Amino acid sequence: MPSLHYISHAVALALIAMLIRKYIELKIYHDDVMSSCYLSETNHENSEVENEIEHETPPKAPVPTSDDPRFLTPEYLNQKLFSDGSSVTCNPTDHAAQRTCHFVNLCYFAERDSYLFFHSDKSILENIPVNRYSPTLVELSSVTNHTYNHFNYIDMPVSASRLFHIKWVTTSSLIIRRFKPDNLMHVIHDDILPLFQTLRHFNLAANTSDRFHYRLIFDDEWGEGPFLKLYDILSVYQPIFKSMLREAPGLTCFHQAYVGLVKSTAWYDYGFYKPQGPLPERKVSSVEINSLLEYTRRELGLSINTDNSDYLVLISRKSTRLILNEIELSLALSREVRIKVIHLSQEQYTIEQMIEVVSNSIGIIGMHGSLLTLAMYLPAGSILIELFPYAVNPDHYTPYKTLVSLPGMNILYRAWRNMEQKKSFGHLTMGNIEYLPHDVQQRIISQMEVPRHICCDDPSWLYHIYQDTQVDIETIISLTQEAILATKTENNRALDKIATNFVIPDKVTHDSCKTMVDGSKQIIIYWEIPWNLQFFNYETVEYEVLLQYTKSPEKSTIFRVSANSITLEPSDSFYIVWVRCSLDEIHVGPFKQIACVE
């Protein structure tokens, strides 16, 4: 018979084996729970955030009956996905560039670098085009008609969702793709303004004084970039970068995801298919821009006092497109214009500091470049003087001129162009013209003006725009003095008036129709300007006059006049006259009918 010692030893080994097995089971269970909770969030203030991806043990709570964020546990969300699948609702439009979509249970699959849509008998698909690949479902950026920004999803049966480990982002999310986050023009124009407008469109703030309650998802390959602060202040949550999503195993599912940006704030076309220039149908004005400025200054805690503005800002570049006599220009401006000059560079100032300095100045002088976008922060009645290297025509590159010329901005713009080649110093490495044949290099260098071109790698453009320049100090001083004087004398035509980009003139008023008594029997029609225009700031007013004849109703004549009257020749029938007002050649009011007889 086995001794008691052997029996005790066997029992001990069995107990140890059982404990090891139990430990392994518990470890597997623990890992599954942690995996399910990866990225989940039920209470932002109390959750433990690690690298902006949240881990949270499911609370012991009743089974939820709604989408109350307090109840959005991974188990609940998993069951909702397994039973209901995904859903999507888009705004009704035939154009991908104008489409925005709201997804429920949209999932990112890192292994395929794709988004998955799980179809069930409860899935809702509203306003989805029949062919969502023509050209795409949604664009992830406000930069339109660029394949880099196309977004779509892969169709999957809901049963397949059970095959994955799932991590949840429970906060409302907005998925975007930054175009060039190292360039301030692209950051403001392509991302920040459209983001701000989109967030207000979807009403993702608790009230107007709050930061927005959503999480920004950067679906791009960029890192943070030098202007991340401008993105951060738009949300109570830190953004999630694509590199973070790729590190997460299985699926990362977004309980509520918004895709696509409102593009009504764009003002410039970068020229991917035709030479760059202002968008022909711009809808943005100082109203939208000032809303963002007020929000930005508040969230950054900036001190703004424009009553005592006593300095100009000179944009200082440190690597290319240099002002070679920058110090001399600065001293001359101080001496001749009698104003302090502050040199501003991206290398020496944070974005918050740059905004604050510009916001308290009377204007900016600088070479063509992205920091001139800071002009949007200038007080009304300020100046922007843009300098251009040799052979670069200011009329062909106008993103900053267009910005400060938007309705209601009231910033005076002037441009200076170097016309002396001997005062320009080029770099063969720019535009890679050093690799071109020598005769082609010389032809580019000797050009007096860069030919029109499309974006973005034209060698002539790149060579000339990156030239360093010895500027004409005397001319720039005269330009500055003239611009400052103009802002004082013109007072920018009632700066407190509202921009007119959404203003429609009312009907003309106090109309009358009179026949001349001098024997000519000519008919003179008078009217007065629509009464509501006295309250708005506008550039031009014209009138469209439509004549119809009662004896020949199919016959009509249209006149366009700038005066508030028109003289008509005699007719053998009644005139039916229709008059309407056109504001700034864009905004047309309703017709007013006037009956006249010879």
Side-chain angles (χ1 to χ4, degrees):
M1 294 183 61
S3 67
L4 182 61
H5 170 76
Y6 288 116
I7 294 174
S8 299
H9 187 65
V11 170
L13 287 175
L15 287 173
I16 291 172
M18 182 180 68
L19 289 173
I20 292 174
R21 180 181 177 184
K22 191 66 175 177
Y23 170 78
I24 293 173
E25 290 176 350
L26 289 172
K27 182 66 168 62
I28 292 173
Y29 173 76
H30 176 269
D31 290 345
D32 286 344
V33 169
M34 293 304 292
S35 178
S36 295
C37 297
Y38 191 52
L39 275 175
S40 69
E41 173 177 292
T42 58
N43 188 309
H44 174 71
E45 295 182 353
N46 297 325
S47 63
E48 180 180 352
V49 179
E50 177 181 339
N51 294 329
E52 310 313 326
I53 297 181
E54 301 82 8
H55 303 253
E56 184 177 314
T57 301
K60 295 180 180 179
V63 175
T65 57
S66 69
D67 278 359
D68 188 321
R70 294 172 299 173
F71 298 131
L72 296 180
T73 64
E75 286 84 357
Y76 169 67
L77 292 171
N78 284 346
Q79 290 304 316
K80 289 290 286 183
L81 174 60
F82 299 158
S83 63
D84 296 355
S86 308
S87 288
V88 57
T89 301
C90 301
N91 61 313
T93 178
D94 293 330
H95 303 285
Q98 300 171 8
R99 188 176 293 123
T100 56
C101 297
H102 173 211
F103 286 87
V104 177
N105 299 340
L106 177 69
C107 298
Y108 175 76
F109 186 28
E111 185 176 322
R112 294 287 183 179
D113 189 21
S114 299
Y115 291 87
L116 306 185
F117 186 99
F118 292 100
H119 290 267
S120 78
D121 57 1
K122 297 180 181 178
S123 292
I124 297 173
L125 293 93
E126 187 171 342
N127 297 322
I128 303 298
V130 175
N131 183 357
R132 53 186 171 86
Y133 287 95
S134 179
T136 189
L137 176 64
V138 182
E139 293 181 339
L140 289 178
S141 169
S142 67
V143 180
T144 61
N145 300 321
H146 198 298
T147 55
Y148 169 76
N149 299 319
H150 287 184
F151 170 90
N152 233 307
Y153 57 79
I154 296 176
D155 297 294
M156 296 285 287
V158 71
S159 59
S161 62
R162 296 177 179 271
L163 303 177
F164 299 92
H165 288 293
I166 300 175
K167 290 73 62 180
W168 284 98
V169 177
T170 60
T171 52
S172 293
S173 302
L174 180 58
I175 303 172
I176 73 163
R177 187 167 293 161
R178 296 169 297 170
F179 190 71
K180 208 173 186 314
D182 60 346
N183 180 293
L184 187 59
M185 168 66 185
H186 286 284
V187 167
I188 296 290
H189 179 270
D190 307 347
D191 299 343
I192 301 300
L193 259 173
L195 266 173
F196 187 70
Q197 198 74 352
T198 302
L199 294 171
R200 296 203 299 175
H201 172 76
F202 286 125
N203 193 28
L204 293 177
N207 57 64
T208 55
S209 63
D210 280 353
R211 287 193 181 185
F212 296 97
H213 288 256
Y214 82 109
R215 190 179 296 280
L216 193 56
I217 312 298
F218 291 135
D219 188 274
D220 55 58
E221 306 302 328
W222 294 92
E224 291 187 354
F227 307 112
L228 184 63
K229 188 68 175 181
L230 296 180
Y231 299 89
D232 283 344
I233 62 174
L234 291 176
S235 174
V236 296
Y237 306 112
Q238 291 297 306
I240 294 177
F241 293 84
K242 192 165 189 176
S243 58
M244 299 161 66
L245 294 177
R246 282 179 171 162
E247 293 172 359
L251 298 182
T252 299
C253 292
F254 303 93
H255 178 54
Q256 303 281 344
Y258 297 87
V259 183
L261 292 175
V262 174
K263 300 178 176 64
S264 58
T265 58
W267 70 79
Y268 206 70
D269 181 345
Y270 296 127
F272 297 116
Y273 301 100
K274 61 181 180 180
Q276 64 172 272
L279 289 171
E281 297 182 1
R282 300 181 295 280
K283 298 179 181 179
V284 62
S285 75
S286 62
V287 175
E288 294 78 20
I289 289 177
N290 287 335
S291 295
L292 174 64
L293 300 192
E294 181 181 350
Y295 178 93
T296 301
R297 289 164 176 158
R298 183 184 74 236
E299 294 300 325
L300 293 177
L302 303 183
S303 175
I304 307 300
N305 180 14
T306 59
D307 294 335
N308 298 313
S309 298
D310 62 350
Y311 62 85
L312 278 168
V313 171
L314 179 60
I315 301 297
S316 180
R317 297 177 64 94
K318 301 301 182 184
S319 57
T320 60
R321 213 176 305 155
L322 305 177
I323 299 175
L324 296 174
N325 51 345
E326 179 181 320
I327 300 301
E328 293 88 338
L329 174 62
S330 175
L331 293 174
L333 285 168
S334 298
R335 182 178 62 253
E336 301 296 332
V337 185
R338 298 189 178 184
I339 193 167
K340 183 167 60 176
V341 178
I342 293 180
H343 295 245
L344 198 68
S345 70
Q346 185 174 327
E347 291 80 4
Q348 295 176 320
Y349 287 80
T350 65
I351 183 60
E352 301 99 298
Q353 292 169 333
M354 288 192 287
I355 291 174
E356 188 166 38
V357 168
V358 168
S359 296
N360 289 297
S361 74
I362 68 166
I364 296 175
I365 301 175
M367 277 288 183
H368 174 87
S370 66
L371 287 192
L372 295 188
T373 313
L374 291 167
M376 68 187 294
Y377 293 95
L378 285 170
S382 301
I383 66 171
L384 172 63
I385 298 179
E386 185 174 9
L387 314 178
F388 288 84
Y390 179 76
V392 179
N393 188 337
D395 293 335
H396 297 169
Y397 310 96
T398 62
Y400 314 111
K401 178 182 179 180
T402 305
L403 166 63
V404 299
S405 302
L406 293 173
M409 290 298 288
N410 298 307
I411 297 171
L412 195 66
Y413 177 88
R414 296 289 186 267
W416 174 87
R417 172 184 178 182
N418 178 27
M419 300 299 292
E420 299 182 62
Q421 189 174 25
K422 64 182 180 180
K423 293 186 177 181
S424 276
F425 301 87
H427 308 276
L428 294 180
T429 55
M430 296 301 171
N432 291 323
I433 73 168
E434 61 181 327
Y435 301 110
L436 298 176
H438 181 73
D439 61 322
V440 178
Q441 291 183 30
Q442 292 305 308
R443 186 165 66 247
I444 290 175
I445 293 171
S446 62
Q447 286 174 333
M448 299 180 65
E449 183 169 308
V450 176
R452 299 307 301 270
H453 58 90
I454 61 173
C455 187
C456 297
D457 54 4
D458 180 80
S460 174
W461 155 249
L462 293 175
Y463 170 77
H464 287 102
I465 193 58
Y466 284 111
Q467 295 173 111
D468 303 328
T469 305
Q470 183 179 351
V471 300
D472 184 335
I473 293 176
E474 183 177 344
T475 302
I476 293 175
I477 287 175
S478 297
L479 205 59
T480 304
Q481 292 172 326
E482 179 272 327
I484 293 175
L485 181 62
T487 61
K488 293 178 179 179
T489 55
E490 296 177 9
N491 197 29
N492 285 287
R493 294 184 9 261
L495 299 179
D496 59 336
K497 288 189 175 183
I498 300 174
T500 60
N501 66 318
F502 292 117
V503 173
I504 301 299
D506 194 16
K507 294 179 180 180
V508 298
T509 60
H510 299 93
D511 51 274
S512 64
C513 183
K514 297 180 180 179
T515 301
M516 297 288 287
V517 295
D518 60 358
S520 66
K521 296 185 179 181
Q522 290 180 322
I523 298 175
I524 300 180
I525 300 175
Y526 298 92
W527 59 85
E528 291 186 8
I529 192 170
W531 73 277
N532 64 325
L533 293 192
Q534 64 183 302
F535 301 102
F536 294 102
N537 188 357
Y538 54 85
E539 297 290 338
T540 59
V541 170
E542 292 183 335
Y543 300 94
E544 184 177 310
V545 182
L546 173 65
L547 303 184
Q548 289 182 318
Y549 306 90
T550 55
K551 289 186 178 180
S552 304
E554 74 284 352
K555 181 181 177 182
S556 64
T557 307
I558 296 177
F559 299 93
R560 287 181 174 83
V561 297
S562 56
N564 59 337
S565 65
I566 188 172
T567 300
L568 305 177
E569 294 301 321
S571 171
D572 58 356
S573 69
F574 285 101
Y575 281 119
I576 300 179
V577 183
W578 303 83
V579 179
R580 66 178 178 181
C581 179
S582 173
L583 185 64
D584 293 338
E585 301 181 352
I586 300 174
H587 313 292
V588 179
F591 275 110
K592 174 69 178 294
Q593 180 180 349
I594 306 171
C596 288
V597 64
E598 182 187 347

